[in-house]
Amino acid sequence: MAIPKNITREHIEKAIEEIVPAQIPAQRMEQNYSLISNGKTLPPKYVISIANKYANGAELDSEDFNAVEAKNFLIKKEFNVIDKRMENNSAAINVWIEKTKVK
């Protein structure tokens, strides 16, 4: 199964309002992507699962879609989704500068 196409931006916004970051189950925390909205940092798959309650009456099983699908779906709905791997890599860049005088 895939993400239902009838989930709208409004359903996603309701899910974001409902979700309390401190109460997200540990197994639902995202490793690679984060949705940033209304001062919250949330796992995209969990947001989609909750949004499905508003669209179709039940939480969507996380096995029905993957993180990349969730990320792309949210980006198409004009939400801010970041790739945490890129963020972490940019902070870890080390540079070695050596100055040598040559005659």
Side-chain angles (χ1 to χ4, degrees):
M1 192 173 161
I3 299 171
K5 297 190 186 310
N6 69 328
I7 295 177
T8 65
R9 183 174 174 87
E10 291 75 28
H11 297 133
I12 296 165
E13 288 170 345
K14 287 180 182 179
I16 291 168
E17 288 176 29
E18 176 185 330
I19 297 170
V20 176
Q23 296 176 352
I24 298 171
Q27 68 273 19
R28 298 303 304 271
M29 294 304 292
E30 185 59 57
Q31 294 183 11
N32 296 325
Y33 304 106
S34 290
L35 167 67
I36 311 296
S37 183
N38 298 336
K40 296 180 180 181
T41 301
L42 305 170
K45 282 186 70 174
Y46 189 62
V47 172
I48 296 292
S49 292
I50 300 300
N52 193 66
K53 283 192 330 186
Y54 295 102
N56 299 303
E59 188 173 321
L60 190 61
D61 188 331
S62 66
E63 298 296 319
D64 289 345
F65 61 104
N66 64 47
V68 174
E69 291 171 315
K71 172 195 68 125
N72 292 339
F73 189 86
L74 291 167
I75 289 171
K76 285 179 185 173
K77 300 288 184 187
E78 299 181 355
F79 285 95
N80 181 24
V81 180
I82 61 166
D83 185 333
K84 296 189 304 188
R85 297 168 297 182
M86 300 302 277
E87 186 177 83
N88 291 339
N89 286 342
S90 65
I93 295 174
N94 293 319
V95 178
W96 179 273
I97 298 174
E98 184 176 322
K99 182 177 180 182
T100 306
K101 288 186 176 183
V102 180
K103 286 187 177 184

